[in-house]
């Protein structure tokens, strides 16, 4: 399945807003497409637009001096890209780019900043979202230190699947290695193990989850902790 066949979705964070607050944003929302590998923002670059992905997946990554990268966040239809604009800043030390292409809503950063500063439902929802992001970051730090690559890979594949609401999606092993901050050979070994166990099929840059129950059992507890936080945020 290519990125063009990923089914249309709404952004769940926007959908969680009361109708009156959402309707106030509607005149400022613009539907945009996200080609794979498109850079949303660079470190130190002013954030002028905020994005609410629908069926696109955006990676937030940190890059070291030697060029190595690691994914520190992933945003899709459950969230927002551009958090610094509601935290008193307009730049960030991370890079955001499109991991899996799709569509989403764009809104001027000044609009979100103004709405947030007025308080009310939008502020409460976005602060709760920041709290979930904090939980995700702290859990991921522990995960990267304490859990095996196979467990981390299972968690990451489940997370992407949940965001896309699909058991099949395009990802290369090279890209997965960059996101997990490991060597490609390590991803090859871990992916082969999951494949031999009948949990996934990997072929020509496509991942297909065959046995979700076993993949969840293989994943570390971090997956459930983080997903439960998102479920509470979005009222699921």
């Amino acid at each position: 399945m290519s990125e063009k066949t990923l089914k249309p979705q709404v952004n769940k964070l926007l959908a969680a807003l009361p109708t009156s607050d959402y309707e106030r944003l509607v005149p400022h929302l613009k539907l945009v497409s996200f080609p794979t590998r498109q850079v949303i923002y660079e470190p130190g670059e002013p954030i002028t637009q905020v994005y609410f992905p629908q069926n696109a997946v955006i990676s937030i990554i940190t890059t070291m001096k030697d060029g190595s990268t690691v994914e520190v966040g992933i945003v899709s239809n459950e969230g927002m890209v551009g958090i610094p604009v509601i935290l008193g800043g307009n730049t960030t030390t991370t890079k955001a780019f499109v991991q899996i292409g799709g569509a989403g809503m764009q809104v001027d950063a000044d609009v979100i900043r103004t709405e947030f500063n007025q308080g009310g439902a939008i502020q409460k929802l976005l602060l709760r979202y920041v709290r979930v992001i904090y939980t995700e970051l702290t859990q991921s730090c522990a995960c990267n230190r304490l859990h095996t690559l196979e467990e981390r890979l299972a968690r990451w594949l489940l997370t992407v699947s949940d965001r896309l609401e699909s058991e099949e999606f395009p990802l290369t092993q090279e890209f997965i290695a960059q996101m997990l901050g490991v060597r490609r050979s390590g991803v090859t070994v871990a992916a082969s193990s999951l494949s031999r166990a009948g949990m996934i099929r990997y072929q020509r840059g496509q991942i297909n989850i065959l046995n979700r129950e076993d993949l969840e059992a293989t994943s570390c507890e971090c997956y459930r902790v983080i997903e439960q936080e998102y479920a509470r945020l979005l009222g699921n």
Side-chain angles (χ1 to χ4, degrees):
M1 180 176 60
S2 70
E3 63 190 47
K4 293 182 180 180
T5 63
L6 292 172
K7 65 181 180 180
Q9 297 170 338
V10 298
N11 180 275
K12 294 176 182 177
L13 197 61
L14 287 177
L17 285 170
T19 302
S20 58
D21 293 271
Y22 175 73
E23 289 180 346
R24 196 164 61 249
L25 283 179
V26 166
H28 306 284
L29 295 173
K30 177 183 177 182
L31 181 64
V32 295
S33 62
F34 297 106
T36 299
R37 301 283 182 170
Q38 176 188 357
V39 175
I40 305 298
Y41 56 69
E42 295 275 8
E45 183 178 272
I47 300 174
T48 59
Q49 305 289 335
V50 169
Y51 299 93
F52 295 89
Q54 293 177 336
N55 60 353
V57 177
I58 313 298
S59 285
I60 312 299
I61 66 171
T62 293
T63 305
M64 300 292 103
K65 286 184 178 180
D66 64 1
S68 59
T69 63
V70 63
E71 184 180 72
V72 296
I74 183 172
V75 186
S76 190
N77 67 354
E78 83 302 331
M80 177 183 104
V81 180
I83 285 293
V85 303
I86 65 171
L87 299 178
N90 68 339
T91 62
T92 179
T93 59
T94 56
K95 176 180 180 178
F97 76 102
V98 181
Q99 178 188 121
I100 298 177
M105 289 294 182
Q106 172 186 290
V107 59
D108 287 347
D110 287 340
V111 171
I112 292 297
R113 188 181 292 112
T114 298
E115 288 287 345
F116 181 84
N117 290 337
Q118 288 177 352
I122 291 179
Q123 184 185 82
K124 290 179 181 178
L125 180 65
L126 292 182
L127 284 177
R128 287 169 55 206
Y129 176 60
V130 171
R131 186 192 69 188
V132 175
I133 293 296
Y134 176 78
T135 299
E136 186 171 19
L137 286 172
T138 55
Q139 196 73 34
S140 294
C141 286
C143 183
N144 292 342
R145 174 65 179 85
L146 301 173
H147 295 145
T148 67
L149 179 54
E150 186 173 315
E151 290 173 322
R152 292 166 55 201
L153 176 58
R155 174 177 70 87
W156 196 74
L157 293 176
L158 288 166
T159 298
V160 174
S161 173
D162 288 345
R163 300 297 184 265
L164 292 174
E165 299 180 9
S166 174
E167 302 291 277
E168 184 181 358
F169 40 88
L171 282 177
T172 65
Q173 288 191 8
E174 179 181 4
F175 191 81
I176 294 172
Q178 290 176 345
M179 295 305 96
L180 293 178
V182 298
R183 293 182 178 179
R184 179 177 175 178
S185 58
V187 172
T188 299
V189 172
S192 295
S193 177
L194 297 179
S195 180
R196 287 195 303 272
M199 289 180 250
I200 68 169
R201 179 171 62 241
Y202 175 76
Q203 185 177 19
R204 297 178 182 177
Q206 292 290 122
I207 297 286
N208 193 306
I209 296 177
L210 303 176
N211 189 325
R212 188 178 186 88
E213 183 177 347
D214 283 356
L215 193 62
E216 288 186 9
T218 300
S219 174
C220 53
E221 69 266 28
C222 301
Y223 168 69
R224 287 169 286 279
V225 170
I226 294 170
E227 291 310 303
Q228 285 170 4
E229 286 295 303
Y230 275 111
R232 280 192 282 268
L233 169 69
L234 301 171
N236 296 335

